[in-house]
Amino acid sequence: MAHESEAAADDVEPARADPADVHGEHTETRRETYGERLDRKWNDVLQELRAVQAGTQIITGFLLAVAFQPTFAELERYELALYLVLVVLAATATMLGLAPVILHRELTGQHQKERVVRIANRILLTLLVVVSFLTAGVASLIFDVAVNQVAGFIALGVSLILLAVFWIVVPRVGRPSLRERLRP
């Protein structure tokens, strides 16, 4: 990591205000080299992977334990199909969580940090989508088995609405409007 920072040590980014600071109430400026910025972005990806990994491990463990419960044989055809889809999503999420680390391991020392960060970011976004659907599906399965199929569909619908809020609405809250961005 240090060699990439040293190679770009003269390439210092000018100080910029924090884009989240819309009204100039407090500004955070950051002066960092290109290499330092890549290191920061890589560390951000790793921290986010760690957060998602914990949840993914818990859900995967839950799904694995379900198969060994005595009532597992009593699942209806729809519940079994949903369960198997969730196992595939959990396995996919686990592999996606490993992919950036594998990529980093394979390309370490090859001056590919920018590529690693860019690809890892895409993998992380894909992982978040998979875990989002996995979580909604698990909620549906639990309500389906514990209450009934209608409750399972309602839980799935509510989960998908919440996911839409988190993916679409929340990121836009506090974002400056077009008028504010065009203001001199």
Side-chain angles (χ1 to χ4, degrees):
M1 284 197 263
H3 60 278
E4 292 170 34
S5 295
E6 291 167 8
D10 295 329
D11 182 25
V12 176
E13 279 287 307
R16 282 190 268 170
D18 183 354
D21 182 26
V22 179
H23 303 291
E25 295 167 1
H26 54 75
T27 56
E28 175 187 331
T29 56
R30 187 182 302 254
R31 294 184 69 76
E32 57 189 1
T33 65
Y34 179 71
E36 289 169 338
R37 184 172 56 240
L38 287 176
D39 288 344
R40 178 178 50 82
K41 287 182 177 184
W42 173 246
N43 285 328
D44 288 348
V45 167
L46 287 179
Q47 290 301 323
E48 292 166 8
L49 279 170
R50 285 182 188 118
V52 175
Q53 183 183 31
T56 302
Q57 287 174 336
I58 291 168
I59 291 173
T60 302
F62 159 76
L63 288 170
L64 293 175
V66 166
F68 296 101
Q69 298 302 311
T71 57
F72 184 76
E74 298 171 17
L75 289 180
E76 295 175 14
R77 178 172 233 142
Y78 165 77
E79 294 165 340
L80 181 60
L82 177 57
Y83 171 80
L84 293 174
V85 167
L86 295 175
V87 169
V88 169
L89 287 174
T92 302
T94 300
M95 289 181 245
L96 285 168
L98 295 173
V101 179
I102 294 168
L103 179 68
H104 181 261
R105 246 333 79 219
E106 289 297 315
L107 297 177
T108 293
Q110 297 181 23
H111 304 286
Q112 298 287 317
K113 176 72 70 77
E114 180 180 0
R115 181 173 170 224
V116 169
V117 170
R118 185 175 16 87
I119 293 170
N121 184 60
R122 289 180 186 151
I123 292 170
L124 178 58
L125 285 171
T126 304
L127 171 60
L128 291 171
V129 169
V130 170
V131 170
S132 294
F133 286 114
L134 174 61
T135 305
V138 167
S140 179
L141 179 64
I142 291 170
F143 274 83
D144 186 302
V145 171
V147 183
N148 60 37
Q149 195 171 47
V150 172
F153 286 134
I154 291 170
L156 180 62
V158 169
S159 296
L160 292 174
I161 289 168
L162 285 172
L163 287 173
V165 168
F166 292 134
W167 275 97
I168 299 166
V169 177
V170 172
R172 286 159 179 73
V173 172
R175 185 184 280 183
S177 68
L178 179 60
R179 188 178 315 156
E180 290 172 322
R181 285 182 282 181
L182 295 177
R183 191 178 323 147

